[in-house]
Amino acid sequence: MQIRKYKDSDFEKVRQICFETARGKQFQTNKELVCTLFCDYYLTYEKDNCFIISAENDEAVGYVLCAENFDDYINKYFEVYFSKVKSLSKKEAFIKRCEKIFYRKIAKTYPAHLHIDILEEYRGKGNGKGLIRKLLDSLKSKGVKGIYLTVDTQNQKAIKFY
């Protein structure tokens, strides 16, 4: 197992991991919605802030994705991805609009945010901690002053991890 920078050749595997690890009934049947909400932006516009945990064959088995500046993220997201979200799910489009307002306040202190997902069989082995450490070191070297994340209140394993 190794932690490395994201490569364009990881794109489809990362999208698959994103879909496989998504929680909630609304996400279990709509890969395009899940990937549009939670990974495509980062893989396209924030490649320097994406790290992969890879297995022996160099195949991605987990990742951490990050936007280092909320204002840049939200502006580009609404320009490029929002219409697709809206066409896939009116509910998720509404939530995204609410997030835009809510997170803008948080982002004044914590401008970066992250998403992390690891396939089940690779959890509990220090991979998540390693990914987070790699990302935080990278952000620190860029002078990013803070980072936030959200977690589903039902995801007790993730809450314990954080």
Side-chain angles (χ1 to χ4, degrees):
M1 304 299 293
Q2 75 169 14
I3 296 172
R4 61 170 172 77
K5 287 280 221 172
Y6 166 79
K7 301 183 288 193
D8 288 338
S9 60
D10 295 317
F11 185 80
E12 285 304 325
K13 184 61 180 177
V14 170
R15 290 180 98 242
Q16 186 60 36
I17 293 167
C18 184
F19 179 61
E20 288 179 22
T21 58
R23 297 174 58 88
K25 290 181 183 180
Q26 72 274 27
F27 300 131
Q28 293 175 350
T29 59
N30 195 331
K31 182 177 180 179
E32 281 308 305
L33 177 61
V34 170
C35 293
T36 303
L37 286 168
F38 303 118
C39 81
D40 290 351
Y41 165 84
Y42 309 93
L43 302 180
T44 303
Y45 296 102
E46 301 269 357
K47 293 177 186 181
D48 286 343
N49 296 316
C50 299
F51 296 92
I52 301 296
I53 187 80
S54 62
E56 297 75 31
N57 60 1
D58 200 39
E59 183 173 306
V61 296
Y63 60 78
V64 65
L65 311 175
C66 174
E68 68 181 70
N69 180 294
F70 179 80
D71 289 330
D72 292 345
Y73 158 76
I74 205 69
N75 291 334
K76 183 60 78 175
Y77 192 91
F78 271 79
E79 175 188 325
V80 176
Y81 297 98
F82 184 73
S83 62
K84 185 175 180 181
V85 170
K86 193 173 177 181
S87 73
L88 294 168
S89 171
K90 301 282 189 239
K91 176 185 173 187
E92 292 302 322
F94 174 76
I95 291 169
K96 202 67 168 169
R97 276 195 210 104
C98 294
E99 288 176 351
K100 180 179 181 180
I101 296 164
F102 178 74
Y103 291 129
R104 192 170 302 281
K105 294 176 184 177
I106 292 171
K108 289 179 181 166
T109 305
Y110 305 100
H113 70 272
L114 70 87
H115 293 279
I116 183 170
D117 287 305
I118 300 171
L119 294 174
E120 184 72 36
E121 59 268 31
Y122 297 95
R123 295 179 192 162
K125 298 172 171 54
N127 293 321
K129 183 178 179 180
L131 284 168
I132 298 270
R133 175 57 37 218
K134 185 78 166 176
L135 175 64
L136 293 178
D137 289 346
S138 176
L139 293 174
K140 186 176 180 180
S141 74
K142 296 177 187 182
V144 175
K145 66 180 182 177
I147 187 168
Y148 73 91
L149 64 88
T150 59
V151 63
D152 185 325
T153 58
Q154 303 300 308
N155 192 346
Q156 291 302 308
K157 287 182 181 179
I159 292 168
K160 185 177 177 184
F161 168 74
Y162 298 123

